[in-house]
Amino acid sequence: VNGTELKDFLHISDFDKATILKILDRAAEVKALLKSGDRTFLPFKGKTMAMIFAKPSMRTRVSFETGFFLLGGHAIYLGPDDIQMGKREETRDVARVLSRYNDVIMARVFAHQDILDLAKYSTVPVINGLTDFNHPCQIMADALTIIEHIGQLEGTKVVYVGDGNNIVHSWLLMASVIPFHFVCACPKGFEPDAKTVEMARQAGISKIEITNDPKEAVRGADVVYSDVWASMGQKEEAAQRRKLFEGFQVDEDLMKLAGPNAYFMHCLPAERGVEVTDGVIEAPNSIVFPQAENRMHAQNAIMLHVLGL
Ligand code: CP
Ligand code: NVA
């Protein structure tokens, strides 16, 4: 796929390797500029962004709103009770109305079909801020963080331990574009979507392993990655999942197996003492806060790309 003519940012695999690397380069460049205190780069001046949230958020909301503002634009937060997309009003109507006010739409929704419908009916770019299926902005920020700490994503071993969820799907889609070794260690019955695994393997770019053995999986990892066991929309399953996910907590022993050079990453929010111990998240090789910061920088570059700036 050639990423250059696409208006939306919905899946990492919609773009080719050159485009993904270009966006990541741009992220680093604009990050350096913002870090230097320079506030003269205002490409979004006179532009507005509508941000639709059907689910809660800290990072996505604050990083998009702050990033868009720092580069000259104005972002409008629409919380779960505001427009009630699909309930108060049909998604296709929301898309067409917001397209007439705003230059770009960012949305966090439940059903993946909702973001596809938004993009279909919107005449302005739509950016995926997480669905039940994937979370591309997160994995772009993760890639940026890995590049900063290891030098490149290409050729690294990234081992995800936990639920085969939206984060895993975006890692799989990244693995269909950039060559690295991706392992997902999850309990039986919590594997990622089989079609997405197949698609990523068919791409023939990366080594992809799905396993139920976290101890074996983490050996030689450059990154051990974890996420909550019960995602947004699954919180009533949390207690049951805690039992079923026994043995999948990233603790000091598991990090020891990974080796002294392995970094720990987590998209946050984290439940300390559940999927990860406090000790692991607070350890010197935990890069969860640079990772969270990079949400803003990766997204700034994504917004520049979809707006053709
Ligand atoms: N990682 C992430 O998307 O965090 P929020 O849910 O706080 O936006
Ligand atoms: N898998 C988590 C990610 C949160 C950023 C969720 O969907 O809730």
Side-chain angles (χ1 to χ4, degrees):
V1 201
N2 184 342
T4 45
E5 80 281 3
L6 285 160
K7 76 170 173 73
D8 306 307
F9 194 84
L10 305 181
H11 320 92
I12 290 171
S13 53
D14 294 337
F15 301 88
D16 58 17
K17 182 182 175 186
T19 306
I20 292 299
L21 292 178
K22 197 184 90 188
I23 295 171
L24 292 170
D25 270 353
R26 194 80 190 285
E29 187 192 309
V30 178
K31 177 177 180 176
L33 191 75
L34 288 175
K35 289 283 209 184
S36 77
D38 191 309
R39 293 291 181 269
T40 62
F41 180 55
L42 303 167
F44 302 145
K45 192 157 189 246
K47 297 201 183 297
T48 66
M49 170 167 61
M51 306 194 300
I52 303 168
F53 283 90
K55 292 173 175 172
S57 169
M58 175 167 75
R59 277 145 292 273
T60 306
R61 190 236 165 129
V62 178
S63 60
F64 265 107
E65 188 165 334
T66 306
F68 201 65
F69 170 78
L70 286 176
L71 301 185
H74 175 75
I76 299 153
Y77 171 74
L78 300 159
D81 290 332
D82 292 325
I83 60 174
Q84 299 176 42
M85 196 172 71
K87 206 156 83 190
R88 182 171 184 265
E89 200 158 353
E90 285 189 32
T91 303
R92 54 191 171 145
D93 291 354
V94 171
R96 286 173 292 179
V97 171
L98 292 180
S99 292
R100 285 169 183 254
Y101 301 135
N102 306 115
D103 300 281
V104 54
I105 298 169
M106 192 281 297
R108 163 169 288 193
V109 296
F110 285 91
H112 192 65
Q113 189 60 45
D114 289 347
I115 201 105
L116 299 178
D117 290 344
L118 255 185
K120 180 175 172 192
Y121 288 98
S122 164
T123 56
V124 301
V126 172
I127 298 174
N128 178 350
L130 180 147
T131 72
D132 286 346
F133 174 67
N134 68 344
H135 197 2
C137 293
Q138 178 68 54
I139 275 52
M140 288 294 281
D142 300 343
L144 178 63
T145 311
I146 290 172
I147 291 167
E148 286 174 347
H149 285 82
I150 302 178
Q152 53 179 23
L153 172 60
E154 198 159 337
T156 60
K157 181 177 180 184
V158 176
V159 181
Y160 175 98
V161 180
D163 182 30
N165 61 17
N166 43 10
I167 293 291
V168 177
H169 296 147
S170 277
W171 270 117
L172 287 166
L173 298 184
M174 179 65 95
S176 73
V177 178
I178 307 276
F180 62 102
H181 183 180
F182 180 68
V183 189
C184 171
C186 51
K188 278 205 174 63
F190 294 90
E191 286 86 1
D193 173 55
K195 266 204 217 135
T196 307
V197 174
E198 193 47 34
M199 183 274 208
R201 282 192 174 133
Q202 286 293 324
I205 302 287
S206 295
K207 182 172 175 188
I208 291 163
E209 293 178 284
I210 313 295
T211 166
N212 305 122
D213 183 351
K215 289 197 175 79
E216 194 51 41
V218 297
R219 284 182 201 282
D222 296 293
V223 171
V224 177
Y225 194 117
S226 121
D227 183 16
V228 289
W229 290 343
S231 284
M232 290 178 272
Q234 302 172 327
K235 296 301 178 192
E236 71 290 343
E237 294 173 30
Q240 195 201 0
R241 281 174 177 250
R242 277 188 197 203
K243 281 182 218 142
L244 297 169
F245 280 67
E246 212 180 298
F248 287 82
Q249 183 187 65
V250 179
D251 60 13
E252 286 79 346
D253 288 342
L254 198 67
M255 288 306 291
K256 238 178 237 143
L257 285 177
N261 297 323
Y263 288 107
F264 175 73
M265 296 179 77
H266 190 306
C267 56
L268 304 178
E271 273 200 84
R272 289 159 194 251
V274 182
E275 76 273 8
V276 59
T277 60
D278 186 70
V280 165
I281 214 166
E282 294 297 339
N285 61 336
S286 162
I287 52 174
V288 299
F289 298 113
Q291 179 186 1
E293 178 187 338
N294 279 336
R295 287 296 303 279
M296 184 172 88
H297 304 298
Q299 289 155 196
N300 283 348
I302 290 166
M303 293 189 287
L304 286 166
H305 181 76
V306 298
L307 288 167
L309 295 166

